[in-house]
Every structure is written in C-alpha cells, then in structure tokens.
DNA sequence: GTGGTCTAGACCACA
DNA sequence: GTGGTCTAGACCACA
C-alpha cells in the first residue's frame, strides 16, 4: 500500500469521470494532505513529472497545483518546486464543508418525508456506538 | 401559496446559479413530484408555455423534460403532452441516492479523522430525538 | 471619453509591462466595476470578443475572467455569458487592500527615518483640506 | 541583536515567500544600507560566504549583488569584493519611490470614491501629531 | 532542473 | 452563439 498511498500508482485518473481532470488531481492531493500522508514541508512531485506519470498535460497539472495553492494546501516557488503547506486550518475548513453537505442532505430528506434517522441507519450508522 | 407550490411563480430560475438552467428545472420538478405537489397522471405544463414563463429557451425546457423522462418521473404522449408518472419507486430511488451521498460523506470524514457523530451534532442533528 | 471608459479603446494592454496580460485585464475590469462604469448585472464582453479586441488569446482572457469570478466581481454562465456581480462587499475589500498597502509604505518610510507627514506633503496631500 | 542587525542570523530567507530569493536578499540589504547599519565603504560578505550562510545558490546571491550594484547601493572591485557605496542620493531615491507609491494609492482611492483622509486614519495615521 | 505565462487550436456542454 | 477543459508546444524567470 505504500506507493499507492503516496500517489505512485500510475494513472489513477478516471477519464470516464464527469469531473475534469484538474479537479480529480486537486481532490486527490487535498485528501492525501488532510490524511497526513503528505507531511507539511514535503515536496510535491514536479509539474512535469506528475504530468508524465498521469499521461496528462503539464498545463492540466499546473492548474491543479494553482488551485491547491489558492486553497492553502500548497505553496510553489519558482525554480525550486511545490511544497505542502503547514496544516493551518485546513481541517476546520474541510470539516465545515462536510457539515454543509451533510446538512443539505438531511434537509432534502426531510423535504420529501424521509426520516433522517432511518436514512442514517441505512447507511451503516449506529447511534450511541463506536462506528468503524 | 398554491400557485407558488405548483411552480407558477414566474421565473424562479436563478441565473447566477452555477448549475445549468435545464438542471435547475429538472431538480425543481423532481422535488415537486416527490413531495406529491404534482400528482401521478397530472399533466405537465407544455414545453413552450413553461419556456415562456421562465423566459428561457424551449430547447432548454425540452432537455429538462427529457431528463425527467429518462429518470422515470415523466412520460410523454405524442401530440398530447407530458405527464407525471404514477406510483413508482421514485421515492426508493431518491432514498438510495441520499443514503449513498450520506455514506460518502461519513466515509470522507472518517478518512481524515473527523468523528461523524460530532459532525452530525454540528449540523443540528440530535440522536434519540425528533429532529425538526 | 465614453468608449474609453467602457473599455472600447482597442488594445490597452501594455506588452512591456512586467505584469502578465491576464493580470492587466483583471485589474482593468476590477477598476471599471469598482468605479461603477460597469453596472451590476451588466454583461461582460464575451471571452472571444475581448480576446479579439485585445489581439490576445481567448485562454488568456478566460483566465482573467476566472480570476475576476473567484474574487467576486463576475459570475459566468455557460452558454449565456459573463456578468458583473452585484456590489457585495467589493468596496470594503478594496479599501482593506489599500489600507494595507498604505500601512506598509508608512512603515517602510519610518524604518529608514523618513517623516511620513512630509512624504504625504510631497505627493500633494494636504491635511485639513479638501484634496482633489 | 548586533549580528542580527548585520544580517548574520543564519538563513533569514523565507522560502514560503512568493518573492524570489534574490529579491529578498536585495531588499534586505537595501534596507540595511538605508538604515545605516552598513556604513559606506564597508565590505559586503563575499558571494560564496553569504550563499553558504543562506544555504542558497551562489548564482542567486550573485544576482542580488548585481541588482544592488545596478541600483547604486554597491560597487565591486575585481579581486577584492563588494562594498557599500558612499553618501549617495540613495535616500532621496528611496524617498521618491515611496512618494510615487503613496501617490498611486491615494489616486486609486479617489478614483473609486474612497476618502484618502479616512483611509489614512484607518491605518493608524493621525494628522497634526507625532506618529510612532 | 523548477514553476509561470502564453499561443493556437480542438472539442464539449449549454442556451 | 456562450463559457470550460484540454493538448502540444513555446519561451521566460529563477535556483
């Protein structure tokens, strides 16, 4: 699992996915960073190298990195490379996003008369229990 | 509120919404049907009429209807119009979709070490209680 | 001045400028919007049209528009065009940015022993007076 | 604090800074010279030595020195090293630069209807007072 | 070697 | 017609 965890499985992009490639790359690395698989300060693969690994265009990887930088996951230095930024409040940010999506789902369910509690049970959630 | 509920508030489309117009129409009607505001067998507004009401292109409404038909919410009769499909497992279908999305969120949360129970609490969910 | 104000002076890009083209476009339109020359809801020139006017590449204009959208100045709708977003707090945002830059300058001046008051006088600023 | 003032704190470069390294070096030394920490005639650290101290590439330091020389802060003597240039209108030059930037900000503010006086107050400036 | 910008041109989704 | 994504390939700034 080591190499997989570190993103070294060649070409994990799904070309059938409706999401654009640059977004798949962005999401992938956001997850790796949030999980701590990539540590703060660690160097990212270079734009060109990752592009080759994924058999995609450097511009596409560039766009993904720019997005990751904008969202505070990376910083890039011309001539040196791209690096994982120290945690900051990335976790809090992600947590808020998840809470938001969760809220939307529960609201949708109630609107059409579905009991949220039952919905939760259906997807394996158990109240008052360790869930894992 | 009657006409509002039935979608007769003129132009409820949000043009600033990033979602395409046809999708906003689709979602709107799916909701109206699932809530039972539009009853099985009831006739849908004609493509042209709805397009006028929404000040949008008939092609766009057409596409929304096609999508609703594809998903089993409508059926159309040549020369007569489109109608809300009866009974159906539409609810079950929607329920499955929601459970799926819910599952994905809880999984994402766990992956990055966020406690799902706490996440639920954060968005106003209370265990062992009527939630409304 | 009308057409100039509305950006219809062909090719106001400065190719000698060290700032990239997409940034010059971004700044230009931020200013036009903040000044109110372009009103909320008003349609922006299409990506292709502006690219032609500026004799630049559509991708470059696209990037500028994406940036303007990210910063809350525009919203774009596929198939319809790009539009000026309602004010929101763009002014407050710009004001904070200017205050920040002003602060930095005054700090720099003091560090090397330049009297800020005199500096202000040098660039035409008069205390206790209408300044225009 | 002595050595710190003289730039001998090892590695004061900020690698997360978006500004290139050579520019950080340039700015640092411009400030030290303008503040008088480095006196006219004083010898600069050798390119190699400074590069080692900063754990950076000699080429990068070289470029910074070239820039400082170009701007009149240093002069170099072949075979002997680089030295801080004497007297100079460096102060006047810097003062002009600051006045220029200040002017630009006040102009920008007025263009979009922000009162410069208020902007100044916002960043801690008080008229008719010693400001420190 | 690294990242950043730009061009020319393709193809897609949407109205 | 509109904007959005992607490719191939160039050239630049920086270390």
């Amino acid at each position: 699992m080591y190499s997989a965890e570190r993103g070294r499985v060649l070409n994990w992009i799904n070309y059938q996915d409706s999401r654009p490639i640059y977004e798949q790359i962005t999401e992938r690395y956001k997850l790796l960073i949030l999980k701590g698989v990539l540590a703060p300060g660690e160097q990212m693969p270079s734009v060109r190298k990752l592009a080759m690994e994924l058999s995609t265009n450097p511009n596409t990887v560039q766009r993904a990195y720019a997005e990751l930088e904008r969202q505070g996951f990376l910083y890039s230095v011309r001539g040196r490379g791209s690096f994982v930024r120290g945690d900051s409040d990335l976790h809090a940010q992600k947590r808020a996003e998840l809470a938001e999506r969760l809220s939307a789902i529960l609201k949708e369910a109630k609107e059409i008369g579905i009991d949220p509690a039952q919905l939760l049970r259906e997807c394996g959630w158990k109240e008052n229990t360790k869930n894992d």
Side-chain angles (χ1 to χ4, degrees), chain A:
Chain A
M1 280 305 288
Y2 176 77
S3 60
E5 279 294 308
R6 296 187 69 90
R8 299 244 176 70
V9 174
L10 299 199
N11 220 333
W12 37 262
I13 286 179
N14 178 4
Y15 292 96
Q16 318 308 327
D17 196 324
S18 69
R19 284 163 17 201
I21 295 173
Y22 82 88
E23 202 175 308
Q24 294 184 47
I25 298 174
T26 307
E27 286 310 315
R28 169 90 170 194
Y29 276 96
K30 279 169 75 168
L31 190 58
L32 287 175
I33 292 170
L34 285 169
K35 285 167 90 166
V37 176
L38 294 174
E42 187 164 349
Q43 183 155 15
M44 295 282 287
S46 86
V47 168
R48 287 164 172 93
K49 186 166 160 257
L50 186 54
M52 271 191 45
E53 268 181 30
L54 301 177
S55 321
T56 191
N57 191 291
N59 285 333
T60 304
V61 175
Q62 179 79 277
R63 178 161 187 185
Y65 278 25
E67 186 63 16
L68 285 165
E69 187 166 1
R70 202 187 62 70
Q71 292 181 30
F73 286 81
L74 296 186
Y75 64 91
S76 304
V77 191
R78 195 128 86 178
R80 294 191 44 245
S82 300
F83 303 85
V84 176
R85 189 180 286 289
D87 57 292
S88 71
D89 40 15
L90 297 176
H91 258 91
Q93 195 179 305
K94 181 70 177 180
R95 182 192 209 89
E97 183 218 306
L98 287 174
E100 178 91 19
R101 282 163 58 194
L102 191 48
S103 222
I105 289 179
L106 297 179
K107 176 161 161 285
E108 270 188 66
K110 273 188 283 183
E111 264 183 343
I112 60 174
I114 290 177
D115 177 22
Q118 202 177 334
L119 198 65
L120 278 161
R121 250 176 271 123
E122 261 169 54
C123 65
W125 169 257
K126 292 179 212 77
E127 321 178 27
N128 301 324
T129 336
K130 275 281 243 322
N131 192 264
D132 119 315

